[in-house]
Amino acid sequence: MRVLGIETSCDETGVALYDSEQGLLGHALFSQVDLHADYGGVVPELASRDHVRKLLPLVRRVMQQTGTRPGDLDGVAYTAGPGLIGALMVGACAGRALAYGWNLPAVAVHHMEGHLLAPMLEENPPGFPFVALLVSGGHTQLVDVCGLGEYRLLGESLDDAAGEAFDKAAKMLDLDYPGGPRLAALAEKGDPRRFTFPRPMTDRPGLDFSFSGLKTYTLNTVRDHVLEDGLPDPQTCADIAAAFQEAVVDTLVIKCRRAIRATGRKTLVVAGGVSANRLLRERLEARLAQEGAGVYYPRHEFCTDNGAMIAYAGCLRLKGGQRENLDITVRPRWPLTELAES
């Protein structure tokens, strides 16, 4: 089965072709980082318009690069949520129209399910069952995964997600958009021992997260060390970034160890933009090895939003018999646990 995947949930336009026999055939991605950088964050209307401009040219590019014709396809998959409603509508309308014009079945894919399954695209993929840590954009979740669509939510962020906290802390340090990767880079130059930041909600049982208090603690630390230009000196900024990153990573690692122990699983899958963080990978691998558990990630280019994960998830869903009717429906908010088993 060969499936075209389309991802337009936020600020990256992704297109890919996945074949159930040959694997990933090709993919292309256009990032809107430069478009939104002047605003310090994603502007939904601009994101939607740029998806309109970039999506079909990317579809043509991937089809041409892989030598694929519409008649070679068995289906079209598109992200239907969660995400920005305007951006989702662009991909959903285009995907449904292409499927209709090519007389193919269409399937709506859950964005977080795509991230959850992204490590399956690697040469050494994990097998079901496993625990998943999803750290993508506005989501931080721990999920017990028994199979495709068999998801049990173990814990989630009660306020700011980890990615949001990274971006907001970066703004406090006057770092450019996208803030998360820039803060992580700055943290490499800092001393994480100079400041001790709290590890929120780790002093009590449970698997939920909360990063709003850590965000406030970071802001107060910045304000306590500002100079005349409104910022701390460069080394202090790096030390704050390092202490903040240590606090987030430690919190995620502690909760992952708890989830592994609570479920008895021996496999952890980490996916989403924050899964590319070097320190997080190092700490998880070291700590979970003590539990006898293995850790799996997608390759760095598939940590952020991409069409490959949508094409793969769509292929599994189509093989399981899922099909969409002619209605075009997107869900800006869509709990992962509402997905049907396949």
Side-chain angles (χ1 to χ4, degrees):
M1 176 174 284
R2 185 170 294 189
V3 178
L4 175 71
I6 294 172
E7 156 61 25
T8 63
S9 65
C10 189
D11 61 343
E12 288 169 312
T13 313
V15 175
L17 274 170
Y18 180 82
D19 189 287
S20 58
E21 300 294 329
Q22 303 176 55
L24 184 64
L25 301 179
H27 65 97
L29 182 74
F30 180 83
S31 174
Q32 299 178 2
V33 165
D34 293 341
L35 175 65
H36 301 289
D38 290 342
Y39 304 95
V42 178
V43 181
E45 180 62 26
L46 295 181
S48 302
R49 293 178 182 180
D50 210 49
H51 287 309
V52 171
R53 287 190 288 265
K54 299 299 191 304
L55 179 54
L56 290 182
L58 285 182
V59 170
R60 284 193 290 269
R61 183 198 305 178
V62 171
M63 296 281 281
Q64 290 170 359
Q65 288 177 347
T66 58
T68 300
R69 298 169 298 178
D72 299 325
L73 295 173
D74 297 293
V76 178
Y78 56 87
T79 304
L84 303 175
I85 188 168
L88 290 169
M89 283 298 296
V90 174
C93 289
R96 196 66 196 81
L98 289 173
Y100 182 80
W102 292 339
N103 194 29
L104 297 170
V107 61
V109 173
H110 191 290
H111 180 74
M112 298 307 295
E113 182 172 67
H115 276 300
L116 184 151
L117 297 172
M120 303 289 192
L121 292 164
E122 304 306 313
E123 290 185 4
N124 180 31
F128 298 117
F130 55 79
V131 170
L133 171 65
L134 300 178
V135 274
S136 172
H139 300 83
T140 299
Q141 298 177 324
L142 279 165
V143 184
D144 187 29
V145 180
C146 294
L148 183 65
E150 299 178 59
Y151 309 134
R152 178 169 64 96
L153 184 64
L154 301 173
E156 62 183 339
S157 180
L158 304 179
D159 39 60
D160 287 352
E164 290 174 323
F166 262 100
D167 289 339
K168 290 175 181 178
K171 282 189 176 182
M172 298 172 197
L173 297 172
D174 199 31
L175 300 177
D176 292 335
Y177 172 85
R182 297 184 189 278
L183 186 143
L186 180 61
E188 298 284 344
K189 305 173 184 177
D191 179 3
R193 297 165 297 182
R194 179 178 172 186
F195 301 104
T196 302
F197 282 18
R199 276 59 172 164
M201 295 187 71
T202 58
D203 58 348
R204 68 197 76 174
L207 295 171
D208 286 329
F209 302 89
S210 172
F211 293 104
S212 63
L214 178 59
K215 177 187 65 178
T216 303
Y217 193 97
T218 305
L219 178 60
N220 289 336
T221 304
V222 171
R223 288 174 173 173
D224 288 343
H225 294 82
V226 294
L227 302 177
E228 292 182 359
D229 63 356
L231 283 173
D233 65 82
Q235 186 57 53
T236 299
C237 286
D239 294 343
I240 291 173
F244 172 84
Q245 179 176 245
E246 286 274 339
V248 173
V249 166
D250 278 355
T251 300
L252 293 174
V253 170
I254 289 169
K255 298 287 185 171
C256 285
R257 291 184 72 183
R258 286 184 185 176
I260 288 292
R261 290 172 177 174
T263 59
R265 306 295 189 206
K266 293 301 180 182
T267 302
L268 175 73
V269 163
V270 188
V274 182
S275 71
N277 184 277
R278 180 193 60 79
L279 183 63
L280 177 62
R281 292 191 175 206
E282 290 178 357
R283 293 281 173 83
L284 279 173
E285 288 171 7
R287 302 291 169 79
L288 290 188
Q290 299 171 0
E291 308 293 329
V295 187
Y296 293 80
Y297 314 91
R299 69 194 76 167
H300 278 270
E301 63 184 318
F302 293 158
C303 289
T304 53
D305 298 347
N306 61 87
M309 66 183 191
I310 303 304
Y312 178 75
C315 183
L316 295 186
R317 287 288 176 178
L318 284 167
K319 290 177 74 173
Q322 182 176 328
R323 302 288 189 275
E324 309 303 328
N325 57 32
L326 292 179
D327 294 337
I328 299 175
T329 303
V330 297
R331 297 181 62 177
R333 296 182 182 276
W334 188 2
L336 188 64
T337 52
E338 291 184 4
L339 289 177
E341 297 179 14
S342 182

